[in-house]
Amino acid sequence: MRIGLVYDLRDEYRALGYSEEEIAEFDGVDTIDALSGALEQLGCEVDRVGRGEALAARFVAGERFDLVFSIAEGLSGRSREAQVPALCELFEQPYLLSDPLTLAASLDKAVAKRLVRDAGVPTPDFAVATASARELAGWDRFPAFVKPLAEGTGKGCEAGSVVHDRGELEAAATRVLQRYRQPALVEHYLVGREFTVGIVGNGPDAKLIGICEILLRDGAEVNVYSLHNKELCEELVTYAPADDAEAKRAGELALIAYRALECRDTARIDFRSDARGEPYFLEANPLAGLHPHHSDLPILAAQSGIDYVTLIGMILDAGLKRYGLTRPLQERRRA
C-alpha cells in the first residue's frame, strides 16, 4: 500500500525567512520520521511528498497513490488546512482525515462553535471582531479570553489574552487584528478544569481513545495553554489522565461535537469547565499533531495503553474502511 505523505516542514519555511511563530504549526523532521516509520511498520510504502504544491505537481504529472496522508497545515487563510484535501478531491485521490468542509469549519472557531451549539454541546458565550475592536463595545462578560479566529497550536494565546475589563479587551482584540491580520474571537473565560479528548473512527464507529486534563506547572504562562507552554510542554505542562464524572462528561460531549462537525478518522476536541464543573466546548482539531511524544493526541493515546504505531494503524484503518478497503492480512498481523 503506497502512501503519499504530505506535510509542511519547519526547516523549509525557516529557510525562506518565515518567523518561528509563523511556522509554529508546521512539523519537524522528527515528526515526519516517526510517522513514516509507523506507516512502514504497518506494511506501507511511504513516499515523502512534502508540501501541497509538490503534491499538485505530482497530480498534474499523472501520479496517484493508494492513499494520501496529509498533515499539512497550509500557510494562510481560514481554509488553509482544507487545501490539500480539496486538491485530492479535485484529482479523485483517496485520502485520510477530514474533508475540506470540516477542516475549514473547524479552523474558524466561531463557525465550529455555532455548529456544535446547534447539536446541543455548550460553548462559552462568544463574539467576533472582524475589523475593529469597537465591534465588541457591547461585550460585558468578564473575565474574557481573546484569541485569533483561525489559528492553532496556541498561536495568539498568551497571558494577556485573559482580560478583565473593556480597556484590556480592546487592547487584546486590537493586538490580534493587527498582528495576525484576521478577526479576533472573544469568549467568556471559564475558570474550571481544561480537558482534551482524543477520538478515532467514523460516524457510529467513532470512539474515545483517551481524555486528559491539561495542568500548568510552576513557571508556565498562567491561565492559558499558550504557544509558549505548548512548545515547552515537557517542562511546563502535565497531561493527567482523567476518568472522573466531569472528564467523562467532556468525553460524551466530544463525541457529539465530533459527529456534528463530521470529523473523519481522528480528531482532538478541547473543553474547559465552568466553576460548577460543567465542560464547555472550546475548539476541535481534526488535523491534530502527531509527534509521538510532544503532541496531545499521541500523549493521551499512550496514557490509554495505545502505542504510537497502533494509533497510526487505527487512523489508517478508519480511513480505509470509509473507502471499503482493508490492509492486507500480513500488514494487519505486522501491526
Side-chain angles (χ1 to χ4, degrees):
M1 181 171 292
R2 185 163 172 258
I3 305 289
L5 187 57
V6 183
Y7 50 86
D8 291 313
L9 194 62
R10 283 189 179 189
D11 288 347
E12 291 184 4
Y13 287 90
R14 189 179 287 118
L16 294 172
Y18 288 94
S19 71
E20 292 303 308
E21 185 178 48
E22 287 176 309
I23 63 175
E25 288 191 84
F26 298 165
D27 290 290
V29 174
D30 51 352
T31 300
I32 310 308
D33 287 345
L35 184 52
S36 296
L39 289 167
E40 287 166 357
Q41 287 187 56
L42 294 165
C44 300
E45 175 191 345
V46 179
D47 189 327
R48 301 190 186 195
V49 175
R51 298 163 61 176
E53 293 92 329
L55 180 67
R58 299 273 200 105
F59 284 166
V60 170
E63 191 171 359
R64 298 293 184 273
F65 306 89
D66 293 310
L67 280 175
V68 162
F69 194 157
S70 174
I71 57 172
E73 300 278 355
L75 191 58
S76 63
R78 66 176 184 172
S79 298
R80 56 187 169 79
E81 292 183 348
Q83 291 168 353
V84 171
L87 184 64
C88 287
E89 292 192 354
L90 178 64
F91 284 90
E92 299 183 331
Q93 165 67 64
Y95 63 96
L96 296 177
L97 306 181
S98 292
D99 72 0
L101 181 58
T102 292
L103 289 167
S106 297
L107 188 59
D108 186 316
K109 295 175 177 60
V111 171
K113 285 173 175 291
R114 294 184 188 106
L115 289 169
V116 302
R117 184 178 61 191
D118 286 351
V121 178
T123 189
D125 290 341
F126 67 95
V128 177
T130 58
S132 168
R134 291 190 296 272
E135 298 169 45
L136 303 173
W139 182 268
D140 61 0
R141 299 295 307 276
F142 293 102
F145 195 89
V146 182
K147 58 186 174 183
L149 181 69
E151 293 292 353
T153 316
K155 288 173 66 173
C157 298
E158 52 198 49
S161 298
V162 182
V163 299
H164 301 86
D165 56 41
R166 293 184 186 279
E168 291 181 355
L169 172 62
E170 183 173 344
T174 299
R175 172 182 59 83
V176 168
L177 287 162
Q178 294 178 350
R179 182 173 173 183
Y180 295 97
R181 299 180 184 177
Q182 64 179 269
L185 175 77
V186 55
E187 61 187 359
H188 184 216
Y189 178 74
L190 303 178
V191 298
R193 301 161 68 190
E194 186 164 355
F195 302 100
T196 190
V197 182
I199 299 174
V200 170
N202 295 295
D205 294 332
K207 63 181 181 179
L208 301 179
I209 61 168
I211 304 169
C212 75
E213 183 175 0
I214 307 298
L215 300 170
L216 301 180
R217 302 178 187 174
D218 292 341
E221 281 191 308
V222 297
N223 299 324
V224 54
Y225 192 28
S226 64
L227 173 60
H228 173 74
N229 290 340
K230 289 186 178 185
E231 288 289 288
L232 300 175
C233 65
E234 290 88 353
E235 304 169 24
L236 301 177
V237 181
T238 295
Y239 299 92
D243 62 356
D244 58 279
E246 187 175 338
K248 289 178 180 177
R249 179 58 178 161
E252 293 170 0
L253 293 170
L255 276 172
I256 297 172
Y258 184 91
R259 291 169 178 142
L261 292 167
E262 299 185 32
C263 296
R264 300 195 318 198
D265 303 343
T266 193
R268 209 190 72 246
I269 315 290
D270 297 338
F271 284 82
R272 194 173 180 104
S273 296
D274 64 10
R276 299 173 301 171
E278 287 292 326
Y280 284 70
F281 170 88
L282 295 181
E283 60 185 76
N285 301 274
L287 202 58
L290 290 175
H291 187 286
H293 310 298
H294 188 80
S295 297
D296 295 7
L297 184 65
I299 289 172
L300 65 84
Q303 291 175 345
S304 297
I306 302 170
D307 64 62
Y308 186 71
V309 174
T310 301
L311 172 64
I312 300 306
M314 293 169 68
I315 296 169
L316 176 61
D317 288 341
L320 287 171
K321 186 176 180 180
R322 287 191 288 105
Y323 291 104
L325 303 172
T326 59
R327 280 184 281 146
L329 181 59
Q330 64 270 24
E331 294 179 4
R332 286 186 274 118
R333 283 177 178 165
R334 198 176 303 170

